[in-house]
Amino acid sequence: MNIGALIIGDELLSGKRQDKHMPVLIRLLAERGMKLAWVEYLGDDPARIEVALRRAFASGDLVFSFGGIGATPDDYTRACAAQALDEALEIHPEAKQLIEGRFGADAYPHRINMGRLPASARLIPNPVNQMPGFSCRDVHFVPGFPNMAWPMVAWVLDTQYRALFSEHPDVEQGCIAIEAREGDLITLMQEFVARYPALRFSSLPNFGTDAIPQMHIEFGFSGQPALVAMALDEWRKALLAKGYEVRDKPAS
C-alpha cells in the first residue's frame, strides 16, 4: 500500500507560505517503519482538486490531504471529495454536535459548514479545537494548520494502519565511485536492478565538490537492511573489479 499526500493551498504555490507538512509526514511515517511514496501540491482550484481526489480514491493508496476543509469560500476540499466519490454532501450528525457544542448559536450560519461532509465520511478527532477532519475510504482529510494536522495524522496511523507498521524500517546505504561515468556502467546497473527487484537503486553523478573534487557518482540502495547490505557489498566489489576507486557515502 503506497502512501501519498495532497497538500492544498494557493499560498503554497505563490510562495507566501512554505510547506511544513511533507517533512513532518515523512518523520511520522518513518517512526512507524513506513515511507512516503508521492506528494502532489495543488492550488485552490476545485476542478484540479476533484481530479486529484478521484485519482487518490481509485489508487488504493493511503493518502493524507492537507488543507481546504474550513468554512471560508476558498475551502473547496469537502465538496470536491463528495464530487469525486459521487456522493451527496451532508451535515454529519457527530460533526454537527461537535460544532454546536463548541460554538453554540455562533455555529450558524457559517461554521456549521465544516460538518458538511461526503455521505460516507468518518470523523478524525481534532485535539486542538474539536473541529474534526474526516476520512473516506483510505483518503484522510485534515486541516492545513500544522498544530492540528500532525496529531490527527498520527491518530489515523495508530488507530487504522498498525498492520502496515514495520519493526525493521527501510534503510538507505551507498558508496561513491571516483572518476566514474554513468554511460560506462549502465549495463552493470541494469543487472543489479534485475537482481534486486525489491530494492530501489539510485545513481547521482557529480562533476566535483569541495570534499571530492574529481568527477564521481554517488550510488545508493534503499530497502530492507539485510538485503541492502548484501546488494551494496556486491556492488562495491563489482566497481572495484572494474578498476574504480570506491569510497564510503557520507552519512546524511
Side-chain angles (χ1 to χ4, degrees):
M1 193 178 202
N2 287 326
I3 303 171
L6 300 172
I7 303 177
I8 299 170
D10 282 345
E11 66 277 8
L12 299 172
L13 301 183
S14 68
K16 292 180 180 178
R17 289 187 180 178
Q18 299 298 311
D19 171 46
K20 297 179 181 179
H21 294 302
M22 186 172 71
V24 174
L25 179 58
I26 290 171
R27 175 177 58 77
L28 290 171
L29 292 171
E31 289 172 352
R32 294 158 175 81
M34 307 164 79
K35 61 183 178 181
L36 188 64
W38 57 267
V39 174
E40 185 173 351
Y41 289 90
L42 298 164
D44 295 314
D45 181 334
R48 287 185 182 275
I49 295 171
E50 181 182 341
V51 168
L53 288 173
R54 283 188 182 275
R55 188 165 57 247
F57 287 127
S59 69
D61 291 351
L62 161 56
V63 180
F64 291 98
S65 175
F66 296 86
I69 64 171
T72 58
D74 60 343
D75 288 319
Y76 300 113
T77 305
R78 290 176 290 100
C80 290
Q83 291 169 340
L85 290 164
D86 297 317
E87 294 182 0
L89 196 64
E90 304 173 349
I91 296 290
H92 190 288
E94 292 179 56
K96 179 175 182 288
Q97 290 180 354
L98 288 167
I99 296 169
E100 289 180 343
R102 176 166 177 78
F103 296 107
D106 290 336
Y108 298 88
H110 302 301
R111 290 188 175 96
I112 193 63
N113 288 324
M114 289 186 286
R116 198 176 297 276
L117 306 175
S120 65
R122 312 180 308 276
L123 297 189
I124 301 173
N126 182 335
V128 177
N129 68 356
Q130 288 72 59
M131 296 300 97
F134 65 97
S135 302
C136 296
R137 300 181 188 173
D138 287 303
V139 182
H140 307 277
F141 299 85
V142 297
F145 299 106
N147 66 324
M148 300 180 190
W150 301 341
M152 294 168 77
V153 168
W155 181 88
V156 169
L157 292 172
D158 291 341
T159 60
Q160 300 180 41
Y161 295 97
R162 284 192 174 272
L164 300 182
F165 291 9
S166 173
E167 295 181 1
H168 305 287
D170 287 355
V171 299
E172 181 178 356
Q173 297 178 5
C175 64
I176 295 171
I178 305 300
E179 298 291 355
R181 290 171 172 79
E182 284 185 312
D184 299 329
L185 291 168
I186 289 176
T187 299
L188 184 63
M189 287 190 275
Q190 290 173 334
E191 291 174 1
F192 268 74
V193 168
R195 189 181 306 172
Y196 291 97
L199 300 181
R200 291 189 179 183
F201 176 83
S202 63
S203 172
L204 182 63
N206 196 302
F207 289 101
T209 64
D210 291 340
I212 306 177
Q214 308 100 313
M215 177 182 291
H216 59 275
I217 301 177
E218 183 177 306
F219 297 104
F221 292 93
S222 60
Q224 286 296 290
L227 199 59
V228 166
M230 184 184 304
L232 181 58
D233 181 63
E234 290 186 17
W235 181 251
R236 291 175 66 97
K237 290 176 180 176
L239 292 174
L240 290 168
K242 287 184 174 293
Y244 294 105
E245 177 187 351
V246 180
R247 301 183 186 178
D248 292 333
K249 180 180 175 181
S252 56

